[in-house]
């Protein structure tokens, strides 16, 4: 396709990208060690961490995939809102069991805990697995946004990948985790403004919110599905797999994934880290609701303009629905605002790419390079090695983007399917360390392999089973096998287990009781909003 944006749009985009680089240059002046580079010297406030965390999770995969899921995907619609019920409940579990253990050890890589609790092989296996899965999933994100850049600008796919990747790498390599977090905050604000503006424009164009909802088939407006179970009935997005499977997915992602925990470890105190998790549990749903409602409006627009779907680029024989939102931006927005919309999409991609590359660098540096280096390095040498490792991982993820294709109907589903293969088993390994006395490294690794094998079998042999259940089944299998194997092998090392049973932990939990209750009530509010939308429709 020919280029669809003008010089004013390019000017807006160029100024934004230059601003990001200048910000990273400014922040790089305060870096003196790898601890500065990876965890901001534990000096970042909870609001910035919470917004950055939310920006990473609500990435291009969500901005492209969620509206496409609501509007066009088979079995899709507002049922995606059910997924959000698990988020505040997952935050409670992380605040009670996982985060305090990691913060008190002052680790940079979360997998360092596994060596302290189990052994070296458990640490290396989990760290290596994180690096493989997260690099591949990030490549899917880069692939998705590069298709958008190709569509709107007329650049080739190759140059689109380089454009998004090179800018992100520059400010990530220079500015470290501070640049990641503060740029995410800026990018999140831009994203909310642009999506809210586009939704308002669509609603006005179509004649009001009632008209928008009336244009959708009734099955796409169903936001709660209690009838199906997802256990072999082919209903992937039923209520129970989204609630239960989603709970294990989110606890694993926010509580055991380096790309998220590393940001939480930047907090000034344990209490501030918990505040960041608490805020994320509250703030995430309104934003998810925004882009799901945008999906409703996109579907209504497509219904009113039959030529819109036909104009979407083809992915094989069918339209690529992931490109519906950006194509709509080019059709509805005037010159200049298209550039701002592109910035919003850039922001969504960068907020995922920057944090993952930084976390891949952190795990490589902490779990492999420094762990096996004999002797001592100066802080400056470690800082330079950290930046070089970040650069290398950036090159790897961008290269992967040329080799990933369609895994699911939407980019959003693809990302979640990749993660669901291993989320449950990874969480179970940490749970074995934190919740039991007898578990050891041999058991943890055996359980991890068993849980991953079970999920892989479900993917290949049980296509009618909801992939959301993999997160729960993989957890249960890993925990059971891991504990049983541990009973048959040597005694474990208990020094860093059962943090949640300590007296100081119990006192801290007393302080946060009202916060935990509020998060549980917030899950009820989300359920009520989903029900109200279904009744309104």
């Amino acid at each position: 396709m020919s280029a669809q944006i003008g010089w004013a749009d390019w000017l807006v985009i160029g100024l934004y990208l230059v601003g990001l680089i200048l910000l990273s240059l400014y922040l790089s002046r305060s870096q003196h060690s790898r601890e500065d580079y990876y965890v901001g010297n534990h000096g970042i406030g909870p609001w910035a961490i919470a917004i950055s965390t939310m920006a990473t999770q609500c990435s291009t995969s969500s901005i492209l995939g969620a509206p496409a899921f609501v509007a066009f995907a088979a079995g899709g619609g507002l049922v995606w809102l059910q997924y959000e019920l698990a988020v505040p409940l997952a935050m409670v579990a992380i605040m009670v069991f996982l985060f305090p253990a990691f913060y008190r050890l002052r680790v940079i890589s979360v997998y360092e805990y596994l060596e302290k609790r189990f052994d070296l092989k458990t640490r290396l296996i989990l760290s290596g697995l994180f690096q493989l899965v997260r690099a591949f999933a990030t490549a899917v994100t880069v692939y998705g946004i590069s298709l958008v850049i190709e569509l709107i600008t007329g650049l080739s796919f190759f140059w689109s990948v380089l454009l998004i990747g090179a800018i992100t790498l520059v400010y990530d390599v220079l500015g470290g985790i501070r640049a990641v977090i503060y740029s995410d905050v800026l990018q999140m604000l831009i994203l909310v403004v642009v999506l809210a503006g586009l939704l308002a424009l669509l609603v006005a164009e179509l004649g009001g919110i009632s008209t928008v909802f009336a244009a959708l088939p009734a099955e796409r407006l169903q936001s709660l599905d209690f009838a199906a179970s997802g256990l072999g009935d082919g209903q992937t997005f039923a209520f129970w797999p989204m609630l239960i499977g989603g709970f294990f997915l989110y606890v694993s992602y926010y509580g055991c994934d380096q790309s998220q925990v590393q940001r939480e470890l930047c907090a000034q105190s344990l209490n501030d880290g918990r505040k960041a998790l608490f805020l994320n549990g509250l703030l995430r749903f309104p934003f998810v609701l925004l882009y799901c409602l945008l999906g409703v409006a996109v579907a209504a627009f497509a219904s009113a303009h039959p030529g819109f779907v036909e104009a979407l680029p083809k992915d094989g024989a069918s339209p690529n629905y992931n490109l519906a939102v950006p194509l709509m931006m080019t059709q509805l927005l005037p010159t200049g605002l298209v550039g701002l919309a592109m910035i919003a999409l850039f922001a969504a991609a960068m907020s995922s790419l920057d944090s993952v590359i930084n976390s891949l660098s952190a795990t490589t540096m902490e779990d492999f390079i420094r762990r096996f280096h004999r002797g001592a390095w100066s802080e400056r040498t470690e800082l330079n090695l950290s930046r070089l490792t970040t650069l290398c991982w950036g090159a790897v993820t961008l290269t992967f983007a040329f080799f990933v294709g369609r895994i699911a109907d939407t980019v959003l589903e693809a990302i979640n399917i990749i993660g669901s293969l291993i989320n449950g088993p990874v969480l179970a390994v940490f749970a074995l360390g934190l919740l039991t006395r007898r578990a050891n490294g041999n058991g943890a690794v055996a359980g991890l392999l068993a849980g991953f094998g079970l999920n892989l079998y479900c993917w290949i042999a049980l296509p009618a089973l909801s992939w959301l259940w993999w997160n729960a089944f993989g957890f249960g299998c890993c925990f059971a096998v891991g504990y049983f194997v541990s009973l048959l092998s040597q005694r474990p090392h208990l020094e860093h287990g059962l943090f949640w049973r300590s007296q100081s932990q119990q006192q801290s939990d007393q302080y946060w009781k009202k916060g935990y209750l509020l998060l549980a009530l917030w899950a009820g509010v989300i359920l009520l909003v989903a029900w109200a939308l279904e009744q309104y429709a």
Side-chain angles (χ1 to χ4, degrees), residues 98-107 110 113 255 261 265 430:
L98 292 166
F99 179 66
F102 306 145
Y103 194 87
R104 287 179 178 133
L105 288 176
R106 308 295 280 186
V107 297
V110 68
Y113 166 79
V261 180
L265 294 172
F430 283 93

Side-chain angles (χ1 to χ4, degrees), residues 46-69:
W47 277 94
I49 294 173
I51 294 174
S52 175
T53 301
M54 189 167 61
T56 300
Q57 176 69 7
C58 301
S59 64
T60 307
S61 305
S62 300
I63 304 311
L64 299 180
F69 176 86

Side-chain angles (χ1 to χ4, degrees), residues 160-184:
S160 298
V161 170
L162 288 190
L163 175 63
I164 190 70
I167 299 298
T168 307
L169 266 179
V170 168
Y171 79 74
D172 201 346
V173 169
L174 290 175
I177 195 66
R178 286 184 182 274
V180 168
I181 289 176
Y182 292 134
S183 63
D184 283 354

Side-chain angles (χ1 to χ4, degrees), residues 7 52 137 139 178 209-210 316 330 410 448 496:
W7 67 268
S52 175
R178 286 184 182 274
I209 192 68
S210 298
T330 65
T410 69
L448 178 73
H496 297 289

Side-chain angles (χ1 to χ4, degrees), residues 430-493:
F430 283 93
L432 282 166
L434 288 166
L435 304 181
T436 74
R437 295 186 180 276
R438 297 297 302 274
N440 57 43
N442 291 339
V445 172
L448 178 73
L449 294 175
F452 177 71
L454 175 64
N455 287 343
L456 200 59
Y457 171 80
C458 291
W459 191 6
I460 296 171
L462 302 174
L465 176 70
S466 171
W467 53 261
L468 287 155
W469 280 120
W470 303 350
N471 298 280
F473 293 168
F475 176 90
C477 179
C478 176
F479 195 93
V481 171
Y483 193 75
F484 178 74
V485 172
S486 296
L487 294 178
L488 301 179
S489 53
Q490 76 270 17
R491 297 179 65 83
H493 176 58

Side-chain angles (χ1 to χ4, degrees), residues 133-146:
V133 172
R134 191 54 60 200
F136 186 78
T138 303
V140 176
T141 299
V142 175
Y143 171 82
I145 189 60
S146 297

